[in-house]
Each structure stands twice: as structure tokens, then as C-alpha cells.
Amino acid sequence: MAAALSLLAAASSTRKAGHDHYVRATSWSRWTLTAIPLCIAAQLVPLPLSWAHPIWASAHDVLGGLPLGPITADIGSTVNALLLALAAISLLGVTVLVVRNRSRAQLILFVLSGVTAVSALILGLHRLLPALAADGPHDLTTTLAGFGLMLNLAVMQLAAERAETHHSVLRSVAIGLCGLVGALVSAAAISGFSGTNSAIAAAFGVVLMLLILVIRRLDLSPLAASALSVAALIGAAIVLTFLFEKSSGPILMRLAPEMGAETKAALEHMLADTRWFGAGAGTFATVGRIYLSDAGAVLTAPSAAMAVFAGMGWIGLAAMIAASLTALARLFFGALQRGRDSFFPAAAAACVLFALVQSFAGAGLLRPAAFLCLSVIVGLGLSQSVSQSSR
């Protein structure tokens, strides 16, 4: 609600230049800002039970009543998910308006890189010295460490750009060293204390940033840049195909962490029952109790993609992937056209790619902190992917 009120205040006081900047920054992805909340809101509207989860049809056959009702199995959880989605969209919009100015964008980048690097440091310290650092949510710290790797690489690029444009060399070196330390800490947390699939997701993001840097630095022609991008895309497809074919079972469970046989069977049964509209956003734990033999046990989502599919069905999962790919394409092309500030959209694109792959391998993005952090990162990249002028 605070984020929504901030957006309302910013929108009411912004000038025409700010409005035009917002429109240009979100020109490719503005439709996705409303698609996901609308899908969640539709689950709260009474619809024919044939569209809902099979538990509703079974309950209607036994108890009778009207053949209409909300799709969600837990109205409170779905309302909470709707408010979280609206808060994330509001925060993204506020970020787009706030970071039009390059100095403010740099400040936001420094803050994000520092926060995520500290999260990675906490993960490493807890694994090495459990008595020194308290245990935190492992999936959250892993996701933030992945973001920290991309953001601190962007800080290093910022330092290099400042040195090339005759800024203070000493200050540029200090900024670059801070970025290097943050990148090393984040990389160590991802490679040493996380799963293999999380490390591969982070590697995809790093490769994307290097690809953008090579295309810009070598000033490649459009044909050469397209050929190099297609080659990188084919390589990523080969790696992903290999990862998904290493395991058997439902495709949404192939990158997820290892789990017990009973839990795996319950998840497979749950996924098999999921329809186009799911059982309600945010209701994974509520519906999961049905599929466990132990009434007191709780079934948690092993990955964000699985939670989205179980909660919103094929439509919600397709909307999530489409929104991610649209933002990724917008940020990628924006980075290639931006010039010396390309590291802002490049880092955001790398974070989106990491989040997309990581969503199939872990549940970190289900944490509000990671989700809202990603919203700020995307808003920063979108805002800096276009110049402040209207040309």
C-alpha cells in the first residue's frame, strides 16, 4: 500500500517530461504490468467450477450448491498475492520516475549492490562460521547473491566508465574495488554454497553482460552482433536442454532441489491436478495439505515456477515467462543502444535472466524481499535504457 501511494503521489506531481519518459521506458512491457494482477484478480471472481481446481468439482458433487465460485482455495492468500503484485508494479513505476537522473541511478545501484553483497556475505559466513552469523532463509540469500553478482559487475563497469571520462581516478579505483569485492563475495556464495543449477543460472547472467559488453566495445555491425547473439542463444538452449534432460518426471520438477519420495509423489499428484487457472495465487501450502498423508505436515514449493503453476495454472506460468522474456528483450536492446550508461540495463537484463532460470531451481523469488528487489532492478534498467531526451 505504501508503494502504491508513492506511485500515486509521484504520478500526480510529475511533469510531462517524466510522464513521457515513463511511457518510453515501458513501451514494450507496459501490458505485462496489468496482465498478472488481472489474472490474480480473476481468481477471486465467481466462475464456473469446471474452470477451477478439481477439489471444487469434487466438493460440489458431494455437497451440492451453486456450480459457481472463486477459483482460489484461500481468498486471504490470493488477496495477499494480489497486493504484493500491485506493490511490486508500483515500486517499479516509482523507480522508473526517480532514476531518470543519472546520479540518482548510480546511488540506487550502489545501494542495491551493497545490500545484495551483504546478503551473500551472511550466507558464506553462516556456512563457514555458524556461531558468527545467524541462519537466514537459504533460498532468499541465494537469490540475492545472484543479483549481487550482476549488480557488482555493473559497479565495476561504472568505475571503468568514470575513469575513461576523466573523473577522479582514485575515486574510480575505490568504486571498482568495492564492486570487485562484492562480485567475489557473491560469486563465492553462489558457486560454493548453492546448488549447481543456481550457479548455472548466475553464469547465464554473467555471459549476457559479457555479450553486451563485447558488442559495444568492439562496435560490431548489426549483422555481426545478431550472429553473435544467435550463437549465444543456441548455446544457452543446449545447456538448458541438457539440464532438463538429466532428470525425469514433470518438467517443472527437473531443476528443483532433491526431495523425499513421498514429497515428490505428492507434488507430482498436485501438478497433475492443476488446470489452466490453478488453485489460487499464494495457496500452494493450503492446497498441498490435501496431498500429504500426514495431516500436520506442510508441503512447501521447491521452486517459484512450481508455485506459480500450482497457484495460477498454465495461464499464470505463461504470463510470468512472457513478462520475463519481454523485459529481457527490452533491456537487452536498450543496453546496446544506451552508450556509456549501458551497464544499468545490462545488469537488469542479467538479473532478469538469472531470476527466470532460478525460478525453476529454487523458491527464493517467492520471498517478498527478493521479488521487490527485482522490481527495483528492472525499474532501474528500464529507466536507464532510454535517454532523457525524446529523440
Side-chain angles (χ1 to χ4, degrees):
M1 184 60 68
L5 291 176
S6 299
L7 177 61
L8 180 61
S12 61
S13 61
T14 188
R15 298 179 180 178
K16 184 177 184 300
H19 176 268
D20 293 343
H21 178 79
Y22 177 83
V23 170
R24 288 187 294 116
T26 59
S27 58
W28 286 24
S29 54
R30 198 157 47 246
W31 65 271
T32 62
L33 300 180
T34 57
I36 295 178
L38 286 177
C39 289
I40 299 176
Q43 295 179 325
L44 300 169
V45 178
L47 294 172
L49 295 182
S50 59
W51 292 8
H53 195 275
I55 58 174
W56 291 120
S58 301
H60 177 262
D61 292 341
V62 174
L63 302 176
L66 295 175
L68 298 172
I71 289 176
T72 177
D74 188 334
I75 293 178
S77 297
T78 302
V79 170
N80 183 55
L82 176 60
L83 292 178
L84 178 61
L86 292 175
I89 292 171
S90 301
L91 193 56
L92 187 151
V94 169
T95 305
V96 169
L97 293 174
V98 167
V99 300
R100 284 180 58 211
N101 183 280
R102 190 173 190 270
S103 61
R104 279 187 241 160
Q106 291 180 4
L107 176 61
I108 296 296
L109 177 62
F110 291 152
V111 171
L112 288 173
S113 61
V115 169
T116 51
V118 168
S119 176
L121 181 62
I122 291 174
L123 174 60
L125 288 177
H126 175 73
R127 288 299 183 91
L128 296 175
L129 302 169
L132 182 62
D135 188 15
H138 182 268
D139 51 2
L140 172 62
T141 51
T142 298
T143 302
L144 292 181
F147 293 158
L149 177 58
M150 317 306 164
L151 294 170
N152 281 282
L153 289 176
V155 170
M156 294 172 63
Q157 291 186 45
L158 183 151
E161 294 285 352
R162 289 175 64 92
E164 290 181 358
T165 52
H166 307 292
H167 282 75
S168 172
V169 176
L170 183 61
R171 186 176 181 183
S172 299
V173 170
I175 293 174
L177 287 177
C178 291
L180 178 61
V181 171
L184 290 177
V185 169
S186 301
I190 288 291
S191 61
F193 306 115
S194 303
T196 303
N197 294 331
S198 297
I200 293 175
F204 280 163
V206 174
V207 170
L208 180 61
M209 292 189 70
L210 291 177
L211 175 65
I212 295 172
L213 184 62
V214 168
I215 293 175
R216 280 197 59 250
R217 287 294 183 178
L218 297 182
D219 196 17
L220 298 179
S221 65
L223 181 60
S226 300
L228 186 59
S229 301
V230 170
L233 184 61
I234 293 174
I238 293 173
V239 173
L240 288 176
T241 301
F242 172 75
L243 290 177
F244 278 105
E245 289 183 349
K246 280 201 314 181
S247 305
S248 58
I251 192 169
L252 291 178
M253 297 180 60
R254 294 187 182 182
L255 298 185
E258 293 294 330
M259 60 197 76
E262 182 181 355
T263 302
K264 186 175 182 179
L267 288 172
E268 290 179 348
H269 190 189
M270 186 177 181
L271 294 179
D273 284 345
T274 302
R275 299 294 187 263
W276 284 98
F277 296 95
T283 63
F284 190 95
T286 303
V287 178
R289 296 192 183 98
I290 301 172
Y291 297 91
L292 293 174
S293 56
D294 185 1
V298 177
L299 187 64
T300 58
S303 69
M306 194 179 302
V308 171
F309 176 73
M312 300 178 64
W314 285 111
I315 291 180
L317 183 62
M320 181 198 76
I321 295 175
S324 301
L325 293 178
T326 302
L328 180 60
R330 178 69 180 86
L331 292 167
F332 178 78
F333 289 110
L336 294 180
Q337 299 170 359
R338 190 63 179 97
R340 70 188 183 100
D341 291 337
S342 63
F343 51 83
F344 289 113
C351 288
V352 170
L353 181 58
F354 166 76
L356 180 59
V357 179
Q358 173 67 11
S359 66
F360 290 86
L365 284 173
L366 296 178
R367 305 276 183 174
F371 191 61
L372 296 177
C373 182
L374 181 61
S375 297
V376 176
I377 293 171
V378 174
L380 174 64
L382 288 176
S383 184
Q384 287 295 316
S385 64
V386 295
S387 63
Q388 293 190 30
S389 62
S390 61
R391 58 182 175 86

